[in-house]
Amino acid sequence: MSFGDSNNPYGKQGQPGQPPQGQPPQGQPGYGYPQAPQGVPPQQGYGYPQGAPQQGQPGYGYPQAPPPGTLQANSGYITIPVLGTVQVATMGRRFGARCLDGLVIGVIYGIFSAIGLAGAMGAAKSAEDCTTQSCVDEASAGIIATMFGMILVFGLITLLYEWLMIAFVGATLGKMVLGLKVVKENTGQVPGIGGGFIRWILPMVGALLCGIGQILVYLSPFFDNSGKLQGWHDRAAGTLVIKK
């Protein structure tokens, strides 16, 4: 048998311009894994998604942190710059801190009041010993001046205590004991001179309305629908009371 026999299929040579036997023509699918039809885009493989997420869509992996000032699902926690996620102070703790501050101010005011009362009693005794009308008038003026002086001292004590401690420390003695702090909501820093003064002056102005306005200011966190428990004085100063 001749190896050059044309009837021998194993001895056939490929024709020029045609692919060798056993290989599919160019452009035709071969044997093995099925190939996708022409015109159909390839499907994405299994595993982790490839490529970066499109702009405006959240990426894969750990959840992204909420923007500053965002209350987390009314859970009592809020995200503040620098401080991160912190807990909003409850009204129970704030009320306890207010009571402790009242005791501190009361002790300080009591000391100054005792000094002023001693001066008033001395002026009253002088009025009893007076024999002329001018002497009585002077003693009466001294008593009135002492009373107004006591009111002024009380205002200065509350001003210096509430304003300066909140401005530079972020907490009064009562807040320190109960682990509370007043911070700026947008920076996480202490309120400063301006913020501390605004936060102090609003309750004092409310106190001029027979004390009713002051009580409403201190109760105003209950009216805050945002869940941050911000009172009217906190909103005006841009502050937030948190638990350290």
Side-chain angles (χ1 to χ4, degrees):
M1 181 173 59
S2 174
F3 290 97
D5 188 358
S6 59
N7 295 324
N8 185 2
Y10 298 98
K12 283 187 177 181
Q13 300 294 330
Q15 298 295 328
Q18 295 182 357
Q21 288 186 348
Q23 296 183 7
Q26 187 176 3
Q28 298 295 328
Y31 299 97
Y33 294 102
Q35 298 184 5
Q38 295 184 358
V40 179
Q43 297 182 357
Q44 189 173 2
Y46 297 96
Y48 292 100
Q50 300 177 358
Q54 298 181 0
Q55 186 177 4
Q57 296 182 355
Y60 297 92
Y62 294 101
Q64 298 180 353
T70 302
L71 192 69
Q72 299 184 0
N74 291 327
S75 62
Y77 288 86
I78 189 171
T79 303
I80 297 180
V82 180
L83 301 179
T85 301
V86 294
Q87 185 177 4
V88 178
T90 62
M91 289 302 296
R93 282 182 175 268
R94 294 175 66 170
F95 178 74
R98 181 64 58 185
C99 292
L100 293 177
D101 290 334
L103 292 176
V104 173
I105 294 177
V107 170
I108 299 175
Y109 181 70
I111 295 173
F112 283 96
S113 296
I115 298 174
L117 184 60
M121 293 178 63
K125 186 171 180 59
S126 299
E128 293 178 357
D129 297 336
C130 288
T131 56
T132 61
Q133 185 63 34
S134 61
C135 180
V136 173
D137 293 341
E138 291 177 0
S140 300
I143 295 175
I144 295 174
T146 301
M147 294 177 60
F148 277 103
M150 293 172 62
I151 297 175
L152 179 62
V153 167
F154 179 75
L156 288 176
I157 291 174
T158 56
L159 170 63
L160 298 177
Y161 181 77
E162 291 276 352
W163 175 30
L164 297 183
M165 292 198 70
I166 292 295
F168 295 107
V169 183
T172 56
L173 294 179
K175 288 181 172 60
M176 291 180 184
V177 171
L178 295 181
L180 304 181
K181 188 175 182 180
V182 181
V183 297
K184 295 287 288 184
E185 184 180 4
N186 58 348
T187 63
Q189 304 296 328
V190 294
I193 293 292
F197 181 77
I198 293 175
R199 198 175 186 277
W200 171 82
I201 194 63
L202 285 183
M204 293 301 102
V205 172
L208 299 178
L209 302 175
C210 300
I212 298 177
Q214 184 180 23
I215 295 175
L216 289 177
V217 171
Y218 287 143
L219 293 179
S220 59
F222 287 112
F223 312 143
D224 184 13
N225 296 327
S226 68
K228 301 176 183 179
L229 295 179
Q230 282 183 308
W232 297 336
H233 52 322
D234 286 315
R235 290 190 178 186
T239 57
L240 190 69
V241 185
I242 63 173
K243 182 180 178 182
K244 293 191 297 184

